[in-house]
Amino acid sequence: QVQLVESGGDLVQPGGSLRLSCTGSGMILSLYTTGWFRQAPGNGRELVASITRGMSTNYADSVKGRFTISRDNAENTVYLQMNNLKPEDTAVYYCRARLSDLDYWGQGTQVTVSS
């Protein structure tokens, strides 16, 4: 069974840090372009960061310099390191992996930034 499992979401104070994990099961994640998306209440789902098969990365302007996406092939996991978190980063974060017409989403993990 092919699936993506996210973890690492939590409640954190402004200025704090979190690391989200997206682990692939039944798939080799390094073959895919993997992205982190987020969706806040009342908003659409937006791309936060992505990493290609060749390790090229892309970031939304709102997170550049604060978030870092990376991949550990041995762990079959993509990470999102989030630093200097702001209340506007509050959202459900989803992992997505795409390869040609294959398209998988994880179930999401909640990140709440609040004092």
Side-chain angles (χ1 to χ4, degrees):
Q1 180 181 0
V2 176
Q3 62 177 357
L4 296 170
V5 178
E6 302 106 329
S7 62
D10 205 345
L11 170 64
V12 63
Q13 292 187 344
S17 297
L18 283 176
R19 188 178 78 160
L20 305 183
S21 300
C22 170
T23 299
S25 176
M27 63 194 302
I28 301 174
L29 208 50
S30 62
L31 299 179
Y32 292 72
T33 290
T34 305
W36 284 98
F37 290 74
R38 67 186 180 187
Q39 186 167 18
N43 291 353
R45 198 168 292 189
E46 64 171 350
L47 176 66
V48 175
S50 63
I51 185 166
T52 68
R53 181 173 179 169
M55 301 289 273
S56 295
T57 58
N58 182 55
Y59 297 92
D61 287 344
S62 59
V63 307
K64 281 181 181 176
R66 300 189 297 123
F67 291 10
T68 303
I69 190 170
S70 62
R71 189 177 69 225
D72 186 328
N73 293 339
E75 296 294 326
N76 206 32
T77 298
V78 170
Y79 299 100
L80 185 68
Q81 177 67 43
M82 306 187 294
N83 298 328
N84 191 22
L85 282 160
K86 304 176 181 181
E88 52 264 40
D89 296 317
T90 296
V92 178
Y93 284 71
Y94 298 89
C95 178
R96 181 187 190 185
R98 296 182 66 184
L99 173 61
S100 186
D101 59 347
L102 299 175
D103 192 355
Y104 303 105
W105 288 87
Q107 82 287 352
T109 186
Q110 176 70 47
V111 171
T112 302
V113 184
S114 174
S115 54

